[in-house]
Amino acid sequence: MNRLVDRRLLFECAVTHYAAVNATTEQLDELERLTQKMAESSDRSYYHRMDEQFHQLVGTASCLDTAVEVYHQTLAELYDCFIPYPIEKLHTSNLDHIALIAALRAGRVEEALEVSRKHVDILHRTMFMGLAGTA
């Protein structure tokens, strides 16, 4: 399972880098709309759907074409493993999305990469507590 998180981390950083270079204003506006929906959500399932759309759109905004398909597959595999975090924890996670959008809008590639790296890397500690040594 940790390998799946590592794979997502690799993809997340790649798509974030290219999204920082290629994202359109319309895509950034849509990402912002999705973060607003997540912030207002009190339902974990709805939040999860908006989160998935958010990350898929970051991938699409990267313009990495066929590599985005593999990224989306990795997201889907990982989403199948998600545990029901409390909505408050999800709202805290959404702050990363908001910070990512700000970095993308400003074209701050390194900042965007660091936000994405931290956003995914935390899954090693929260999603798989006690499974650190497993494959």
Side-chain angles (χ1 to χ4, degrees):
M1 293 306 238
N2 280 320
R3 289 182 190 154
L4 186 56
V5 173
D6 288 341
R7 192 171 2 138
R8 177 175 173 197
L9 181 60
L10 178 64
F11 283 129
E12 200 79 41
C13 289
V15 298
T16 295
H17 172 88
Y18 285 97
V21 175
N22 295 317
T24 66
T25 301
E26 293 79 16
Q27 288 169 324
L28 295 171
D29 290 346
E30 177 63 12
L31 288 170
E32 194 166 286
R33 186 184 70 75
L34 290 167
T35 61
Q36 290 169 351
K37 286 184 167 197
M38 286 183 271
E40 296 167 358
S41 177
S42 60
D43 177 81
R44 288 188 304 243
S45 179
Y46 179 77
Y47 180 98
H48 178 73
R49 288 192 307 275
M50 296 303 101
D51 182 68
E52 186 171 17
Q53 287 179 27
F54 179 92
H55 288 285
Q56 287 177 344
L57 182 53
V58 172
T60 300
S62 73
C63 299
L64 288 175
D65 301 326
T66 56
V68 173
E69 294 173 26
V70 179
Y71 167 68
H72 288 172
Q73 290 169 356
T74 298
L75 280 176
E77 287 177 50
L78 195 56
Y79 281 135
D80 285 345
C81 302
F82 262 35
I83 58 171
Y85 291 109
I87 194 69
E88 297 80 17
K89 187 169 189 74
L90 297 175
H91 287 156
T92 299
S93 177
N94 194 37
L95 297 176
D96 292 345
H97 299 146
I98 294 166
L100 177 61
I101 295 166
L104 293 174
R105 280 195 191 279
R108 295 189 303 261
V109 177
E110 288 181 26
E111 182 180 332
L113 285 171
E114 186 61 10
V115 169
S116 288
R117 185 194 67 75
K118 287 180 179 178
H119 183 71
V120 175
D121 191 54
I122 198 166
L123 296 176
H124 284 294
R125 294 182 304 282
T126 61
M127 190 173 169
F128 301 114
M129 292 183 306
L131 300 179
T134 63

